[in-house]
Amino acid sequence: MDWRPLVLLAHVLAAFWWIAGYVGTNVCTEIARRSTTDEECRSALLISNRLDRSLNQIGGTLAGLTGLLALIVLDCSLFTPWVAASIVLFAMVVAGGAVFWRRYGMGIDAAVAAGDWETVRHQLREPRIVGFSRLENVAVLAIIFLMVIRPGS
């Protein structure tokens, strides 16, 4: 049996799962950032956290694992430029989530638990945080572009 179509389908579905969580988390965080009430902010952050755990983290893990499996099954080289660039960008997004966003999220969660909405809003609007988020968005769009267009193939 030719496993290539099934592995590719698994990778595409995992990528959709990841991107759904990524976009949902970002949209909810942006809603929280622009909220005008504490309740609206709290609700948006609650949904953002749930989407992050149920879609973004799990989908990202599955996209990475199925991507590695696809490399093997589809006999792709790690040195193919679009493959290498996608892996590097994905690793950067994952590292950003594991290091940068985890620490930042813990600070937000602590301020939410304390009911300190001034700190929550200040942290959500901090230029360094917003800038990092926008750079990460560009990296994710680049990954999608590289996976779909596969330049040089």
Side-chain angles (χ1 to χ4, degrees):
M1 177 176 180
D2 185 5
W3 291 98
R4 291 176 298 182
L6 290 176
V7 170
L8 188 57
L9 176 62
H11 182 56
V12 168
L13 292 175
F16 277 136
W17 188 352
W18 172 52
I19 294 300
Y22 182 85
V23 170
T25 299
N26 274 267
V27 167
C28 288
T29 302
E30 192 63 33
I31 289 169
R33 186 175 287 127
R34 296 170 187 235
S35 66
T36 57
T37 67
D38 297 347
E39 185 57 30
E40 184 181 12
C41 185
R42 186 191 70 73
S43 297
L45 290 173
L46 176 68
I47 295 168
S48 177
N49 286 341
R50 287 186 179 169
L51 290 174
D52 184 49
R53 284 190 299 277
S54 63
L55 296 175
N56 194 18
Q57 292 176 15
I58 295 170
T61 300
L62 292 174
L65 293 173
T66 58
L68 293 174
L69 182 61
L71 279 173
I72 296 165
V73 172
L74 299 173
D75 196 30
C76 290
S77 170
L78 284 172
F79 301 107
T80 303
W82 69 268
V83 172
S86 296
I87 290 170
V88 168
L89 289 169
F90 185 75
M92 289 170 56
V93 170
V94 169
V99 177
F100 188 79
W101 290 123
R102 184 168 188 272
R103 184 180 55 186
Y104 165 71
M106 289 170 56
I108 293 276
D109 291 344
V112 167
D116 184 359
W117 295 103
E118 184 177 329
T119 298
V120 170
R121 284 199 175 78
H122 179 268
Q123 288 183 4
L124 285 171
R125 295 175 182 152
E126 185 180 328
R128 179 177 57 103
I129 299 301
V130 175
F132 188 84
S133 175
R134 301 306 186 250
L135 283 173
E136 188 180 62
N137 292 343
V138 170
V140 170
L141 288 173
I143 292 168
I144 294 169
F145 172 83
L146 291 167
M147 288 286 143
V148 172
I149 304 300
R150 296 169 34 158
S153 291

